[in-house]
Amino acid sequence: MVQAKLKLQTFDDYLAYTDGTEAYYELTNGELIAMPPESDDNLYRAMKLYEALKELIGMRQIRLQGLALAMPGQPKNRYPDLTVLQPEHPELMRELGQAAITLDMHPPMLVVEVVSPGAENHRRDYVDKRNQYEWRGIPEYWIVDPVKQQVTVLSLTAEGYEEAIFVEDEIIVSPTFTDWSLTAAAMLLV
């Protein structure tokens, strides 16, 4: 018996698909690309940011991984390491029945990616995701890079993302989270 090759075209197709596992996939040109699990160190860094943000805005608006974010272009979705939702997102996701932000919803307030080692990961976080997050209109994108020992804060302006790089004991300056008090070193520490 010949089995038909799975072909998903839209983010809605993706949301309707299940393979019975807890695996994360990005939908790229109709194909599901499995995302490898995050390293323990990078997961720990994301959890530290979660805890710090929770003190500022509460836990209802923050998601660690596992949130499917619909994107323009390819891939059709991303799974940020950490996402700060708009206030209306939790109710909209409850109605949707999934931890997902569709293209017809406002973009999240902030996405954070913790860069894994390797040229491909660096390109994906600094170029591909940066472009897609900018196109999606995400107001702020933080790149936490343990290899370069820096945190890049990208803030959306009328001309696109404006970049600020923080290292060592510099406190991260965020236009959205003005009470932020962690330094780059604290965010990178495991």
Side-chain angles (χ1 to χ4, degrees):
M1 178 175 181
V2 176
Q3 187 173 4
K5 189 173 182 181
L6 177 68
K7 199 72 167 171
L8 305 174
Q9 297 300 321
T10 67
F11 186 66
D12 287 338
D13 293 341
Y14 172 77
L15 289 179
Y17 172 77
T18 182
D19 65 0
T21 72
E22 301 267 331
Y24 297 125
Y25 299 95
E26 288 181 350
L27 177 60
T28 305
N29 297 315
E31 301 295 326
L32 293 176
I33 309 299
M35 296 291 97
E38 193 61 63
S39 74
D40 191 54
D41 285 348
N42 284 357
L43 183 57
Y44 177 74
R45 288 178 180 102
M47 288 188 316
K48 280 196 327 186
L49 295 179
Y50 173 89
E51 290 298 324
L53 285 162
K54 185 172 77 170
E55 295 297 316
L56 294 177
I57 62 171
M59 64 187 267
R60 290 291 299 153
Q61 284 182 248
I62 309 166
R63 297 294 182 276
L64 277 171
Q65 301 178 330
L67 175 84
L69 178 57
M71 300 303 300
Q74 298 293 332
K76 294 284 184 197
N77 67 295
R78 296 287 187 180
Y79 281 96
D81 291 324
L82 184 140
T83 306
V84 176
L85 308 174
Q86 297 287 349
E88 69 272 14
H89 283 153
E91 180 59 31
L92 292 171
M93 290 190 302
R94 190 174 300 110
E95 291 170 10
L96 184 63
Q98 298 199 37
I101 297 176
T102 62
L103 285 174
D104 63 338
M105 296 178 189
H106 287 104
M109 296 170 64
L110 166 71
V111 292
V112 178
E113 297 289 357
V114 182
V115 183
S116 296
E120 178 65 21
N121 293 318
H122 181 274
R123 183 193 56 74
R124 185 180 308 114
D125 288 338
Y126 279 94
V127 179
D128 299 345
K129 290 180 183 179
R130 176 184 175 145
N131 288 335
Q132 277 194 301
Y133 292 159
E134 185 177 324
W135 296 336
R136 181 69 170 87
I138 297 171
E140 231 174 297
Y141 171 33
W142 295 358
I143 304 170
V144 179
D145 192 334
V147 174
K148 287 185 164 187
Q149 287 291 294
Q150 69 182 28
V151 176
T152 303
V153 173
L154 299 157
S155 306
L156 194 59
T157 69
E159 291 79 36
Y161 275 140
E162 182 178 291
E163 181 178 295
I165 297 174
F166 300 90
V167 296
E168 299 175 353
D169 291 329
E170 295 175 331
I171 295 175
I172 305 304
V173 177
S174 164
T176 306
F177 304 100
T178 56
D179 292 335
W180 189 257
S181 61
L182 285 183
T183 65
M187 290 172 64
L188 293 161
L189 185 69
V190 288

